[in-house]
Amino acid sequence: MPVLWIVVIVVVLAGVGFVMGRMRALHSAGEDRRSLHSLPNYYGFNVAMFTAVPALLLLVVWMVAQPLIVNARVSAEIPGTLLEGSNMSLVMSDVRRVADGLDIAISEGALSARQAANLDLQTTDLRDVLGSVGVALGSNVDPATLKAAQTYRDMTSTGDLAMTIFVLLAAAAGFAVTYIRTNKDFRARNTVEHGVRVLLIAAASIAILTTIGIVLSLVFNTIEFFRLYPITDFFFGTTWSPSFGGGSELGILPLLWGTLYISLVALLVAVPIGLFAAVYLSEYATKSVRSVVKPLLEVLAGIPTIVYGLFALLTVGPFLLSIFGPSGPTATMADGGWMHAGTAVMTAGLVMGIMLIPFVSSLSDDIINAVPQSLRDGSYGLGATKSETIKQVILPAALPGIVGAVLLATSRAIGETMIVVLGAGAAARLSMNPFDAMTTVTAKIVSQLTGDADFASPEALVAFALGMTLFVLTLGLNIFALYIVRKYREQYE
């Protein structure tokens, strides 16, 4: 049975449990609500909660554990001859592809279930059969792969059937037990509130566990990378030249330089414009103007970054090239021009700065509005003008929060990917020319993990070392920014 149908059945059973639990509580009290310990709805929620929650938790755990168990059992039966010149992950990928193809062939009538379980590769061209139902295989299927795929199908089918039975039994058992326990003296409200508290704690723990999982995956793969490549060459090397054939030079300094250079250009665009916009909206704009301008400004935050990247590639880059290129009016450097292609630090930096404007303006606007009105009134009472009050009172008072907003914008700029992939180029170099093409840490993480590279090679594992470096850098900026903002809020709230 499909998982969706299992969920629907459990939810429907929980709904029935809510109605019946509520009715049983009222019946046990002789329809007198005053004699109930809790409100009638709490009794219904109690039955519904113990019907749905254990069953759905079992479903989630089963869906996570079953593929791991099936893969381990099937991989243990794969002969060593099948692993020659390959690795287990690639072999298991072929096994799963064949197993999925057999399922599709059965569902579309190309094969019967009996034929799929007793295929003879000498009389049946399985590659053609699966190709006829849209499953493309790179090579012919050997008997060992077919046997493993059949075992994979059988175990998966058995596991799915067992999952359906046990999940529905868990839902029915929860329904029955809580329904029987329901009476007028049962403390349903306490039970429901405790259950809700546990669910809220579990929901809050998901973010923490996800962060821990991300960090551990980065740490373990980074350690594996540094076993294969010297750590000093990585952090202090000035050349980035990966070669999957060997002899790679994987120095991070050119990537860090490109990342920080592009981020600096972006901040030089975003911070002044965003801050001036925030000052105008909070101090000068009328309510009618603010109600129109602020939403329009924040529309920029809803534009996908891939759109910004295309804007950099197709519009900003050619425009800058027409001015600073070899044929532009500012051509210098022996008439070769400052800019040789549309992709450059300036291209990505300008577009990224535009993307960050609503980020800076929105945070700065909230921070400026949080400055107590008494400070403004005191300044006006001493005879200061509005501009003098803004310069000498409001901005100094809001400065810690504004610095925090700028630091958060910096971490956002450092982690940007699509704009720099399309607008900055792919050259890893140390250059001061803002019109040169450069690349960033995020762009190289993408490039090193795409393609058919051996995942165990340093050229692929370096992506995790790059990610760990970027994670530590942005985490430090975020912590520092939140510390400043929290200190500012404690001062005025």
Side-chain angles (χ1 to χ4, degrees), residues 43-44 65 121 136 140 170 258 260 276 283 301 312 414-415 423 436:
Y43 294 93
L121 294 179
N140 292 325
L260 297 177
F276 292 159
E283 300 299 323
I414 290 174
D436 277 343

Side-chain angles (χ1 to χ4, degrees), residues 261-285:
Y261 202 175
I262 294 173
S263 300
L264 175 62
V265 174
L267 292 174
L268 290 176
V269 174
V271 172
I273 297 177
L275 185 57
F276 292 159
V279 170
Y280 170 74
L281 290 174
S282 61
E283 300 299 323
Y284 290 101

Side-chain angles (χ1 to χ4, degrees), residues 22-231:
R22 190 177 185 278
M23 293 174 60
R24 181 177 175 85
L26 289 172
H27 179 72
S28 67
E31 303 299 330
D32 183 8
R33 298 189 178 203
R34 292 174 298 178
S35 62
L36 291 174
H37 173 273
S38 309
L39 293 174
N41 283 348
Y42 279 110
Y43 294 93
F45 284 129
N46 179 60
V47 177
M49 182 176 67
F50 280 94
T51 299
V53 174
L56 295 179
L57 286 177
L58 177 61
L59 178 64
V60 171
V61 172
W62 198 296
M63 291 176 63
V64 172
Q66 178 176 307
L68 300 177
I69 296 173
V70 172
N71 285 340
R73 291 286 299 276
V74 173
S75 60
E77 298 179 4
I78 293 177
T81 55
L82 201 60
L83 298 175
E84 295 179 358
S86 184
N87 57 51
M88 183 60 72
S89 62
L90 294 178
V91 172
M92 285 302 301
S93 177
D94 291 338
V95 169
R96 286 190 292 269
R97 189 179 297 111
V98 173
D100 293 340
L102 291 175
D103 289 336
I104 295 174
I106 293 172
S107 64
E108 296 191 4
L111 290 173
S112 66
R114 183 182 297 274
Q115 289 174 329
N118 300 282
L119 275 174
D120 185 357
L121 294 179
Q122 294 182 352
T123 59
T124 304
D125 190 342
L126 183 58
R127 186 179 180 185
D128 289 343
V129 173
L130 298 184
S132 65
V133 295
V135 179
L137 300 178
S139 60
N140 292 325
V141 180
D142 56 86
T145 301
L146 176 60
K147 182 180 178 181
Q150 291 170 333
T151 303
Y152 184 91
R153 284 189 65 250
D154 292 340
M155 294 186 65
T156 301
S157 177
T158 303
D160 290 345
L161 178 60
M163 178 181 69
T164 302
I165 294 172
F166 281 105
V167 169
L168 295 182
L169 283 177
F175 176 92
V177 171
T178 50
Y179 180 77
I180 293 172
R181 293 176 59 191
T182 300
N183 57 68
K184 65 184 182 64
D185 297 321
F186 182 71
R187 298 176 178 271
R189 177 175 59 84
N190 297 349
T191 304
V192 171
E193 290 181 351
H194 177 71
V196 171
R197 184 164 58 250
V198 171
L199 289 177
L200 293 176
I201 293 173
S205 301
I206 290 176
I208 298 174
L209 295 176
T210 302
T211 303
I212 293 174
I214 292 172
V215 172
L216 291 179
S217 65
L218 287 174
V219 168
F220 290 139
N221 286 286
T222 300
I223 292 173
E224 184 64 26
F225 167 72
F226 287 130
R227 289 175 180 171
L228 303 175
Y229 193 84
I231 187 171

